[in-house]
């Protein structure tokens, strides 16, 4: 899609559809998603992960692209299984659902599913980003701030272990 209003409208529609899709997916299905192993799908999601970051950093003119990429990654997760960046994409969707849809309960539900996905992956990749996004932007609406220190510290440590120093430093900043 082209940028501007049309791109943003397509992104908002995609966010709403994807949030609805996640909410309608039974918890048992979300909890039993297999780990994706198809090399082509893994490569696509790795590229989408980078594209989301680049479009976010590029500024508000490309924010629609970051939203579309995030929703595409979540849809691929629901279709093909868990990827390294599934949890962080789902956490981003949780925050965006709070901002676009305005539903705190849905944001909390999606955020909790993202944390469960991160644990199931048994991979440190993306953990710092998942923790940062959820605790800095979504969970403060539903959880006491005193409970944030331990997960945010774990996000920092994970980011340092995996070389994701940018997310690690953000975790340290909000701690």
């Amino acid at each position: 899609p082209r940028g501007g209003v049309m791109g943003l409208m397509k992104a908002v529609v995609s966010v709403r559809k994807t949030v609805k899709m996640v909410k309608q997916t039974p918890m048992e299905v979300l909890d039993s998603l297999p780990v994706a192993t198809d090399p082509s799908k893994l490569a696509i999601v790795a590229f989408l992960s980078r594209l989301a970051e680049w479009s976010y950093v590029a500024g508000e003119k490309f924010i629609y692209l970051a939203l579309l990429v995030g929703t595409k990654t979540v849809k691929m997760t629901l279709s093909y299984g868990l990827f390294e960046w599934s949890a962080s994409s789902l956490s981003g969707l949780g925050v965006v659902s709070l901002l676009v849809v305005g539903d705190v309960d849905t944001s909390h539900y999606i955020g909790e599913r993202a944390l469960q996905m991160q644990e199931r992956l048994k991979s440190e990749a993306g953990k710092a980003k998942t923790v940062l996004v959820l605790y800095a932007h979504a969970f403060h609406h539903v959880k006491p701030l005193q409970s944030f220190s331990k997960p945010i510290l774990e996000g920092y440590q994970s980011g340092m272990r995996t070389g994701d120093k940018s997310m690690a430093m953000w975790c340290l900043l909000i701690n």
Side-chain angles (χ1 to χ4, degrees):
R2 299 175 196 264
V5 175
M6 286 304 294
L8 190 56
M9 292 308 297
K10 287 180 181 183
V12 169
V13 168
S14 182
V15 165
R16 287 182 175 271
K17 285 181 179 178
T18 308
V19 166
K20 185 176 180 180
M21 186 185 306
V22 171
K23 283 174 61 175
Q24 290 178 344
T25 303
M27 199 177 316
E28 299 80 35
V29 172
L30 288 174
D31 292 342
S32 64
L33 286 171
V35 176
T37 56
D38 181 353
S40 64
K41 302 287 189 261
L42 294 170
I44 290 169
V45 170
F47 172 74
L48 288 175
S49 165
R50 296 288 180 176
L51 183 59
E53 288 180 27
W54 295 332
S55 56
Y56 179 79
V57 169
E60 66 183 54
K61 209 172 184 183
F62 295 98
I63 198 69
Y64 74 93
L65 187 56
L67 295 173
L68 288 171
V69 168
T71 57
K72 179 64 176 175
T73 305
V74 171
K75 289 175 186 176
M76 285 187 70
T77 297
L78 295 176
S79 297
Y80 304 111
L82 299 177
F83 298 92
E84 257 187 357
W85 300 102
S86 293
S88 62
S89 295
L90 193 61
S91 68
L93 181 68
V95 170
V96 170
S97 73
L98 179 63
L99 299 174
V100 173
V101 182
D103 187 351
V104 173
D105 294 330
T106 298
S107 178
H108 182 242
Y109 173 79
I110 292 173
E112 290 295 337
R113 300 292 77 75
L115 290 176
Q116 286 179 345
M117 271 186 194
Q118 188 68 53
E119 280 189 33
R120 282 198 47 236
L121 278 170
K122 300 199 185 335
S123 169
E124 295 259 348
K127 183 176 182 178
K129 183 177 183 180
T130 302
V131 167
L132 172 71
V133 168
L134 290 173
Y135 284 90
H137 303 291
F139 284 168
H140 63 275
H141 291 283
V142 292
K143 293 186 175 195
L145 295 176
Q146 299 86 347
S147 68
F148 284 26
S149 289
K150 184 178 179 200
I152 292 172
L153 180 59
E154 288 173 6
Y156 162 75
Q157 291 168 337
S158 173
M160 293 303 286
R161 278 192 297 272
T162 59
D164 193 357
K165 291 182 173 63
S166 174
M167 290 298 140
M169 291 299 116
W170 279 108
C171 284
L172 191 61
L173 180 70
I174 66 164
N175 194 6

